[in-house]
Amino acid sequence: MNINTQQQLLIDPIIHEHPLRFHEEATEKLKFCSACRLELRGASYICTKCPDRYTQNYDRYVQYHLDPERKFYLHEKCAKLPYEIQHPSHSSHPLNLYTKYPYKGFKICDECGDIPRGFIYLCEECNFMLDVKCAAQTAQENGVSSMQHKGIESSRHHFGHEHDLLIGHCSDPINQVGCNICELPISGQAHFCPGSSCHYIVHESCLRLPEKMQVPFHAGHMMVMRSKDSQKYPNYFFRMSPPRCYACHGFFSSIVGYECEECPLYFLHSTCANSLRRPLMKLESHEHNLYYLGTDCQLLSANYNFPFNCSKCRKNCRGQPFYRCMECNDINFHLECVPLLHIVKSRHHIHPLTLKDSFIEDDSGEYYCDICEEERFAKDHVYYCEECKGLFLAHIECALAKVEYVVSYLDGQEREESRIESEPSSSDNEYDSSVNSESSYDDDEQSVQDKEEEDSSAQES
Ligand SMILES: [Zn+2]
Ligand SMILES: [Zn+2]
Ligand SMILES: [Zn+2]
Ligand SMILES: [Zn+2]
Ligand SMILES: [Zn+2]
Ligand SMILES: [Zn+2]
Ligand SMILES: [Zn+2]
Ligand SMILES: [Zn+2]
């Protein structure tokens, strides 16, 4: 192969500050074009000097996810994009190429509604913008939908922000923008402020967070959502001595979070407060209730590497969801060290439920527990009904609040389901109490009649 063609340089100071090298062969590694943000296979132009611009000064939590070797890549055709185009979606003026939206704040592509993280074409006069993938399409391909995305109003207003918000989509596979409430990367629907002096974008689910909430491990006191620049805490306070989240021990650099109304400096990240709303009750493994600390909460404390060692197996719990005691100083359990039930018959559902590490029903971004009907995080563990093919899903804590019998434990202990099913119904109560003493999940002391009533109503539903 000729070295000259392999190292052919494309000097292009407008698109990129360094010379780009032509790269002929395809690589196995998944790459995305920095201009159109679509997958890149085969020949490309590559900058060997710098990683993608987002890597350098982007939010540290997002960096946690990033491949440090990520480079600036362009499709061959994207390296040769014209600097000015005429587009049928905006025939009155020419559109100019920019490597990113040149003004402050967020703007969606007027065609597809995405918030672009790659190159764009912009009419400065009308503030009409297309991302590169939409600019490449013809009028017929995109003409019909174009009216639908001209600033869909989200009709949402957040008490933490003074302006009305619009809906956009974050579809970039890697360069995700961080939410102003929870700090975590946004993928999917987002609500953003179109104001040019604001840099405000939030998850749909974060908009629904209440202004005040109670968490069971800080009973009796109300947690209130505070913003970094609320009058009580001027900016310098956070810069001088950032407080820590009581749950995950991560620094509290967030703009928004919960603080106890009565205890000064008792802070919780909004994500931590929200996911710790349900206790796992009365376990044999520990005298206090335990709380599920998901991977999102751990991301928030990634900057401060607090060791969460398992109280049973002594290994680190980080990197996977685990249960933590909020009363003791450092009591944590892997899910299989609790041990959680792998398959369980809950009184809340007619079929046995199986523990899954996550379940995403659709792309709505909104998921609920079929027992308490409160929100469920797509990334968190869930009890799933195999028989109903996922039409019944429940929080771990909700399903385990009323255990009828145990089929198997996560640590490998098995029970024979057939033996349990053959138990005569008259001995239900007796059987319950024997399960009770072993698993301690069932604190329910219903009479046999009550239980039979509930069973028959469960059958009907
Ligand atoms: Zn491209
Ligand atoms: Zn677009
Ligand atoms: Zn605003
Ligand atoms: Zn958020
Ligand atoms: Zn936290
Ligand atoms: Zn363990
Ligand atoms: Zn404890
Ligand atoms: Zn629930």
Side-chain angles (χ1 to χ4, degrees):
M1 194 177 289
N2 189 330
I3 292 166
N4 276 339
T5 49
Q6 231 186 338
Q7 298 199 328
Q8 178 190 349
L9 296 180
L10 174 85
I11 313 291
D12 203 338
I14 293 180
I15 289 181
H16 194 67
E17 70 222 70
H18 307 125
L20 301 176
R21 186 193 291 173
F22 187 65
H23 205 72
E24 230 171 340
E25 71 270 35
T27 57
E28 288 295 297
K29 247 173 92 182
L30 188 63
K31 297 181 292 187
F32 295 92
C33 170
S34 299
C36 66
R37 303 305 297 148
L38 299 174
E39 205 184 319
L40 194 148
R41 299 169 200 267
S44 60
Y45 281 93
I46 171 173
C47 173
T48 47
K49 277 198 178 154
C50 65
D52 209 316
R53 66 188 143 94
Y54 293 104
T55 323
Q56 285 153 340
N57 48 16
Y58 200 51
D59 198 64
R60 63 178 176 279
Y61 305 120
V62 178
Q63 267 187 41
Y64 192 69
H65 284 312
L66 296 181
D67 167 10
E69 281 183 283
R70 214 157 44 84
K71 296 284 202 295
F72 185 90
Y73 294 107
L74 293 174
H75 284 115
E76 197 174 354
K77 69 175 187 336
C78 291
K80 294 166 182 169
L81 288 169
Y83 297 146
E84 186 188 299
I85 58 166
Q86 284 287 344
H87 200 273
S89 308
H90 190 71
S91 46
S92 41
H93 304 110
L95 304 176
N96 294 309
L97 181 66
Y98 287 86
T99 56
K100 60 174 189 173
Y101 185 57
Y103 309 119
K104 259 191 97 183
F106 292 102
K107 163 121 181 77
I108 53 171
C109 167
D110 283 294
E111 186 60 44
C112 66
D114 281 355
I115 294 167
R117 305 294 281 164
F119 295 4
I120 56 145
Y121 280 100
L122 179 72
C123 169
E124 298 84 350
E125 207 177 320
C126 309
N127 202 27
F128 177 90
M129 181 176 85
L130 292 178
D131 53 21
V132 167
K133 71 177 187 313
C134 291
Q137 287 177 334
T138 64
Q140 284 94 328
E141 281 171 322
N142 58 23
V144 191
S145 64
S146 64
M147 287 315 289
Q148 295 170 7
H149 291 289
K150 293 223 162 86
I152 306 165
E153 283 188 35
S154 82
S155 67
R156 294 271 196 171
H157 190 92
H158 192 259
F159 51 81
H161 192 77
E162 54 186 323
H163 307 123
D164 286 331
L165 306 178
L166 300 182
I167 293 179
H169 277 90
C170 297
S171 60
D172 198 283
I174 299 168
N175 294 332
Q176 291 161 343
V177 61
C179 170
N180 283 65
I181 291 180
C182 72
E183 307 182 40
L184 295 168
I186 304 180
S187 171
Q189 186 152 293
H191 295 251
F192 69 99
C193 178
S196 59
S197 58
C198 296
H199 191 86
Y200 190 82
I201 185 164
V202 293
H203 287 109
E204 164 95 33
S205 55
C206 288
L207 268 189
R208 291 196 299 267
L209 286 170
E211 195 166 0
K212 292 185 176 194
M213 71 157 84
Q214 280 199 319
V215 287
F217 51 89
H218 197 59
H221 291 182
M222 196 57 94
M223 303 295 297
V224 189
M225 197 183 267
R226 293 234 190 269
S227 78
K228 195 175 187 169
D229 32 45
S230 73
Q231 288 175 327
K232 190 173 173 193
Y233 296 111
N235 272 324
Y236 73 84
F237 169 78
F238 275 78
R239 253 185 275 125
M240 300 300 284
S241 57
R244 289 221 169 115
C245 169
Y246 183 80
C248 74
H249 291 267
F251 281 116
F252 205 91
S253 61
S254 174
I255 296 166
V256 184
Y258 287 96
E259 189 196 9
C260 176
E261 257 183 342
E262 286 160 72
C263 310
L265 299 184
Y266 188 100
F267 280 102
L268 290 170
H269 288 121
S270 57
T271 303
C272 295
N274 199 29
S275 66
L276 304 179
R277 281 204 259 184
R278 279 171 308 277
L280 185 62
M281 313 278 259
K282 291 185 191 169
L283 294 157
E284 270 192 351
S285 34
H286 189 64
E287 58 184 313
H288 303 125
N289 294 334
L290 299 177
Y291 296 85
Y292 185 93
L293 213 67
T295 44
D296 277 350
C297 299
Q298 295 176 47
L299 215 52
L300 292 166
S301 62
N303 53 350
Y304 171 66
N305 213 8
F306 191 86
F308 293 111
N309 288 325
C310 175
S311 306
K312 188 170 178 204
C313 72
R314 303 282 154 204
K315 290 183 191 133
N316 199 338
C317 292
R318 267 192 184 280
Q320 54 183 301
F322 61 91
Y323 273 94
R324 176 164 173 79
C325 177
M326 291 296 156
E327 289 170 69
C328 296
N329 201 12
D330 193 20
I331 297 287
N332 314 289
F333 292 96
H334 291 106
L335 266 56
E336 54 283 4
C337 294
V338 170
L340 232 47
L341 305 177
H342 181 217
I343 302 175
V344 62
K345 173 68 184 71
S346 167
R347 286 198 186 146
H348 289 290
H349 190 61
I350 50 171
H351 307 122
L353 304 172
T354 305
L355 188 67
K356 276 195 180 290
D357 57 7
S358 79
F359 188 79
I360 299 173
E361 297 145 274
D362 49 45
D363 57 4
S364 69
E366 286 183 45
Y367 312 103
Y368 296 91
C369 166
D370 289 312
I371 295 175
C372 70
E373 295 181 349
E374 283 185 24
E375 184 161 17
R376 192 172 66 69
F377 298 105
K379 282 190 208 161
D380 287 359
H381 281 76
V382 63
Y383 275 107
Y384 166 97
C385 178
E386 303 276 1
E387 206 129 341
C388 298
K389 297 197 165 53
L391 288 177
F392 187 90
L393 295 155
H395 290 125
I396 295 177
E397 301 80 14
C398 295
L400 296 186
K402 286 193 172 189
V403 170
E404 195 170 330
Y405 58 81
V406 179
V407 180
S408 63
Y409 287 90
L410 265 192
D411 61 0
Q413 280 188 54
E414 294 285 332
R415 281 170 170 274
E416 287 174 44
E417 195 178 0
S418 57
R419 193 177 62 83
I420 293 164
E421 278 175 348
S422 66
E423 292 282 331
S425 58
S426 61
S427 68
D428 262 9
N429 208 30
E430 192 192 322
Y431 181 76
D432 266 354
S433 61
S434 75
V435 170
N436 203 8
S437 65
E438 279 177 49
S439 71
S440 303
Y441 282 115
D442 198 349
D443 56 340
D444 191 50
E445 291 180 1
Q446 285 176 299
S447 68
V448 180
Q449 289 97 313
D450 279 350
K451 191 192 166 311
E452 274 169 1
E453 265 172 44
E454 193 174 313
D455 279 352
S456 60
S457 67
Q459 298 286 347
E460 282 157 24
S461 64

